[in-house]
Amino acid sequence: MRKAICTGSFDPVTNGHVNIFERAANLVDELTVCIFDNKKKKSLFAIDERLDLLRESTLHIDNLTVDSYDGLVADYLKEHDINVIIRGLRSAVDFEYEFNQAQMTKHLVSGADTIFLLTAPEFLYVSSSGVRELAQFHGNVHGLVPECVELALNAKHNHELSS
């Protein structure tokens, strides 16, 4: 059985992420999308909110499960008998960062390999941080994120205004 994982903070999940998940799911029998909390980032959505948004955004992908983990990707791989990581790349800058991460993971889990999928051209400019900033200033995020995420962003920022 071919199992793989897509990792990230997904704060929030974007249509670019979902496109990578759809394509990755076609390559393996089981795909796990796992939220790893990035301690360097200040999160907009709590882990539970992100889990819910990811689940709703990926209901149409039959062989995908959503999880979260507070630890090293290498440890998750070992615990779940996964040896393939699939990551999306938007640019050469992404590649430099992801290449180093892949090498570190390979050092920790010798059988682990990372597959890079190029982002679809229509999503090259879409990032979670860009979406968060756009939503913060009440910009239009329609088409950049799944509908459930758009609603959650609007609710979060409208709530902040009334607080």
Side-chain angles (χ1 to χ4, degrees):
M1 174 159 306
R2 296 171 299 160
K3 296 184 345 181
I5 188 170
C6 289
T7 62
S9 53
F10 308 114
D11 186 36
V13 61
T14 69
N15 285 339
H17 291 129
V18 174
N19 177 265
I20 293 291
F21 304 154
E22 290 167 345
R23 293 165 46 213
N26 287 329
L27 301 174
V28 298
D29 299 311
E30 291 181 18
L31 179 66
T32 300
V33 175
C34 191
I35 298 170
F36 284 79
D37 200 19
N38 188 335
K39 306 294 185 206
K40 296 177 192 172
K41 294 181 182 177
K42 183 179 183 287
S43 298
L44 176 63
F45 291 103
I47 294 282
D48 288 343
E49 292 174 304
R50 286 184 265 164
L51 285 166
D52 290 342
L53 291 170
L54 266 171
R55 286 184 183 114
E56 188 171 345
S57 300
T58 58
L59 281 172
H60 65 287
I61 306 172
D62 294 334
N63 62 333
L64 183 147
T65 58
V66 174
D67 200 1
S68 67
Y69 192 74
D70 188 23
L72 294 174
V73 172
D75 292 336
Y76 190 93
L77 295 175
K78 291 174 191 173
E79 289 174 24
H80 293 86
D81 194 30
I82 297 172
N83 62 1
V84 176
I85 301 167
I86 300 178
R87 300 289 293 169
L89 295 178
R90 290 174 300 189
S91 67
V93 172
D94 284 354
F95 175 76
E96 286 186 30
Y97 173 80
E98 295 296 343
F99 179 79
N100 288 331
Q101 293 295 103
Q103 295 300 337
M104 181 60 76
T105 301
K106 185 80 165 171
H107 170 75
L108 297 171
V109 183
S110 62
D113 280 308
T114 301
I115 296 172
F116 298 120
L117 292 180
L118 298 179
T119 299
E122 62 268 28
F123 302 118
L124 283 174
Y125 65 96
V126 180
S127 69
S128 293
S129 59
V131 166
R132 283 193 312 271
E133 184 175 359
L134 187 59
Q136 178 184 358
F137 292 102
H138 305 286
N140 184 2
V141 298
H142 185 74
L144 304 178
V145 294
E147 184 178 351
C148 61
V149 175
E150 183 177 354
L151 294 171
L153 284 166
N154 289 339
K156 188 160 288 274
H157 289 296
N158 286 336
H159 175 71
E160 287 176 5
L161 287 176
S162 63
S163 298

